[in-house]
Amino acid sequence: MPLGPTITHSPATAPKTRRSTLYLLRDTGTSPADLRAALNARYERDHSFVVEDVRTGDTPALLCHGVIGHHRPPDWTSAVHTLTGRKPPVENRTSACALLLPVADDVFALTFGMGHLLLDQSRISPGFGFDFVLRAAQPDAIRQVTHSLMDARGRTDRSSAAQGQHIRAFPIEEYGEVVSRLVGTLSSTELTIGKHSGRTAQVAGTDSLKIHLGAQPEDLVHDLTQVRAILARRSPAPEFEAIARVRPLKSGDPRRSDLEARLNALLGASADTGSLALAVPAACLDQEDAALSYVVKVGPVRRLMPSPVIDDILELLDGIPPGRRLEALSAGYIQMHRDEEGTDPVSAQMKAHKWITAEIPLDASRYFHHEGRWFEIGDQYLEGIRSEADTLLTAPAGCPLPAWTADLATEEDY
């Protein structure tokens, strides 16, 4: 049933902002029907979630909310019963809510609880939160960096600094790593948090953006408008230039079809070539510690696994025709659960191909498949070196130098 009105704070005590999780949706129109199409329909169909048209201030929006896991005991009750002879009469109830809010031509999704599960994952704009942090965070107050080495080992590192430090102080290989998540301090903006608070505000970006947004309808819409403006008008801070330079191949790049054909062949190879690995996507890293099982669906097969490795995925692909394996991964998913039975999801159903890392040669270059995107390894190396050399050679000397006169024949004499 639709939500009724709730008790609100008085104007004097109402919070000005709230720490929020925000997504930007792609390929999504602003009509009520378009907004509904951006939701994962199975929660309304299988879990009786409510989907209703609402208004946020003067802005029409769509609200989806409900509870997952009605009357289902947690898996640990059986273990307690075995140890004590008593079975606690408890049950898991996971609440989730998503508010889809159009702002101009864009559609944002504000999620609460496990609300990220309610979104159609194909609609989530990749790198939205990360791109915002590159433009709005202070380069000298970065608290955490998640970076992946561009090779087939699938290694992802997370470096942290409790007090925040300059981005250059983090151990990032400038030409050999992809940075996928940044956590830092918000610089001066026109957001509500900057107007009503003297304290610093933390911001974290991957595909999603974790940020303090206005708690009142008018302030929220204002802040979303500011987020759009920052993304549209600002370039990344110069200190983030090395990170921002590492960009994936565009969707229309002709190399992608050749790379995908080679990846398809690699997925069907009879022997391990060392060029493939399984890696947790950055958007799921925060939930990894809570995961006790993984539900993996590839083609017609849906399997529960305690902790999948690349060989498990390749085994599921055995029955898929050659040339269709990458497509099968893109249509399938891997989802983490906090119970061993795979009934209590802690992550969204992340497309299975986004878990695959691969290193593939093509012509004279090498390419890295990471979270469903292709990166050319070292493609910016020469450009970066030339840029650094130009900076050094054109910078004025810090002290005057004597003239090199004709009587000094060599540099050594000078």
Side-chain angles (χ1 to χ4, degrees):
M1 59 181 295
L3 296 177
T6 57
I7 298 173
T8 58
H9 296 275
S10 68
T13 61
K16 299 297 184 184
T17 65
R18 186 182 188 280
R19 177 81 168 168
S20 305
T21 302
L22 184 69
Y23 294 86
L24 177 65
L25 303 184
R26 61 181 179 180
D27 304 325
T28 302
T30 58
S31 72
D34 290 333
L35 297 181
R36 282 177 176 265
L39 294 173
N40 185 338
R42 76 184 189 91
Y43 285 95
E44 182 181 13
R45 182 185 65 244
D46 300 339
H47 297 277
S48 301
F49 269 57
V50 175
V51 181
E52 55 183 324
D53 296 316
V54 295
R55 299 188 75 85
T56 298
D58 296 328
T59 304
L62 188 73
L63 187 68
C64 178
H65 54 88
V67 176
I68 306 168
H70 293 284
H71 311 301
R72 181 182 296 150
D75 66 300
W76 52 259
T77 56
S78 297
V80 173
H81 183 261
T82 300
L83 295 171
T84 67
R86 301 290 182 91
K87 195 167 187 177
V90 296
E91 62 184 43
N92 276 337
R93 292 171 63 85
T94 302
S95 60
C97 180
L99 174 65
L100 275 60
L101 190 63
V103 176
D105 295 330
D106 288 328
V107 175
F108 291 96
L110 199 64
T111 62
F112 306 86
M114 298 295 287
H116 61 282
L117 301 178
L118 309 181
L119 303 177
D120 179 344
Q121 297 300 299
S122 68
R123 300 296 186 102
I124 292 175
S125 181
F128 152 67
F130 182 74
D131 286 343
F132 180 86
V133 174
L134 288 178
R135 289 160 173 80
Q138 299 177 24
D140 59 352
I142 300 300
R143 298 187 62 182
Q144 193 177 92
V145 179
T146 301
H147 45 111
S148 302
L149 199 63
M150 285 200 285
D151 68 14
R153 286 173 287 178
R155 195 189 82 190
T156 297
D157 296 320
R158 179 171 285 186
S159 306
S160 301
Q163 300 300 317
Q165 61 185 15
H166 200 285
I167 185 63
R168 294 188 182 126
F170 286 91
I172 303 170
E173 176 61 46
E174 185 171 337
Y175 302 104
E177 290 190 317
V178 178
V179 176
S180 54
R181 185 175 188 264
L182 282 175
V183 180
T185 300
L186 195 64
S187 59
S188 176
T189 69
E190 292 300 313
L191 296 172
T192 302
I193 185 68
K195 297 178 180 179
H196 296 285
S197 174
R199 62 187 176 90
T200 58
Q202 184 171 287
V203 60
T206 51
D207 291 346
S208 66
L209 176 63
K210 296 185 184 297
I211 186 174
H212 280 83
L213 296 173
Q216 302 303 313
E218 294 78 10
D219 290 337
L220 173 60
V221 174
H222 165 81
D223 284 351
L224 296 183
T225 302
Q226 290 300 311
V227 168
R228 290 184 76 248
I230 289 170
L231 285 170
R233 73 171 181 258
R234 291 193 190 177
S235 297
E239 293 86 349
F240 292 132
E241 184 179 340
I243 294 174
R245 257 201 313 257
V246 182
R247 305 303 297 171
L249 300 185
K250 294 182 179 180
S251 58
D253 194 302
R255 291 172 291 182
R256 287 177 60 96
S257 59
D258 290 336
L259 289 167
E260 288 172 3
R262 294 194 179 205
L263 179 54
N264 255 315
L266 200 60
L267 290 168
S270 56
D272 181 12
T273 63
S275 298
L276 288 172
L278 200 67
V280 179
C284 298
L285 283 174
D286 287 342
Q287 293 83 40
E288 185 183 15
D289 288 343
L292 294 181
S293 65
Y294 296 72
V295 173
V296 181
K297 184 182 184 303
V298 177
V301 180
R302 184 177 181 272
R303 189 172 296 176
L304 181 66
M305 301 181 183
S307 182
V309 295
I310 188 62
D311 288 342
D312 296 323
I313 307 303
L314 297 180
E315 181 184 342
L316 293 176
L317 290 170
D318 278 348
I320 305 297
R324 303 291 296 276
R325 296 184 178 98
L326 184 57
E327 180 184 340
L329 290 175
S330 300
Y333 63 82
I334 299 177
Q335 184 174 36
M336 298 188 292
H337 290 256
R338 59 164 59 91
D339 64 336
E340 294 180 351
E341 287 75 19
T343 61
D344 190 6
V346 70
S347 78
Q349 293 179 347
M350 189 67 67
K351 298 293 187 182
H353 75 292
K354 292 190 175 184
W355 292 70
I356 301 293
T357 65
E359 185 179 353
I360 293 181
L362 180 66
D363 299 327
S365 297
R366 300 188 72 81
Y367 296 84
F368 179 54
H369 184 267
H370 175 70
E371 298 194 12
R373 297 184 289 178
W374 290 100
F375 296 83
E376 185 174 358
I377 301 174
D379 68 316
Q380 301 290 341
Y381 179 74
L382 287 177
E383 178 186 335
I385 293 298
R386 290 191 184 103
S387 176
E388 291 177 13
D390 288 344
T391 300
L392 290 172
L393 293 175
T394 56
C399 60
L401 297 176
W404 189 338
T405 57
D407 58 308
L408 302 174
T410 66
E411 186 176 356
E412 183 177 3
D413 294 336
Y414 173 72

